[in-house]
Amino acid sequence: MPAIYRDIIIEQGGTLDETFLLKVNGAVFDLTGYTSIMIIKDHLGAIIHTADTTNGQIIIVGPAGSARRKISAEVTKTISKTAVSYDWELTPPSGAADTWKLYRGRCHVIEEGSRGL
């Protein structure tokens, strides 16, 4: 399955909280046992931030087919404006050889200004 191209906006100091429901032919796609990782990189390819199921910034509810990325305001304020792209992958219980990209695209970081940070 090819990745869906979708740009994201990260507001420094604001929570990034989005839930996606995966369906195939109108039926919920069961994500039980899946793990996930989203990597944000700068223009040189260096990793700026990693959100995953291990650090709790990606939450999967398997039977519901939902994948949620929830990056707290405390974390987003540390993501620099040099971030330009991201990839979000899902890995099934069968292992890394079957990993597929869910989303990818450009990452736009809006600098914190309201609190003088």
Side-chain angles (χ1 to χ4, degrees), residues 42-61:
D42 70 11
H43 70 285
L44 297 174
I47 295 173
I48 298 285
H49 182 72
T50 300
D52 58 33
T53 47
T54 304
N55 66 19
Q57 294 174 12
I58 306 245
I59 303 143
I60 294 176
V61 180

Side-chain angles (χ1 to χ4, degrees), residues 69-102:
R69 56 183 173 205
K70 185 174 183 182
I71 304 174
S72 71
E74 184 174 287
V75 173
T76 64
K77 72 180 177 184
T78 68
I79 298 175
S80 82
K81 286 184 60 176
T82 61
V84 296
S85 66
Y86 79 100
D87 288 309
W88 187 7
E89 299 177 342
L90 287 170
T91 301
S94 58
D98 295 321
T99 294
W100 49 281
K101 293 204 186 297
L102 177 59

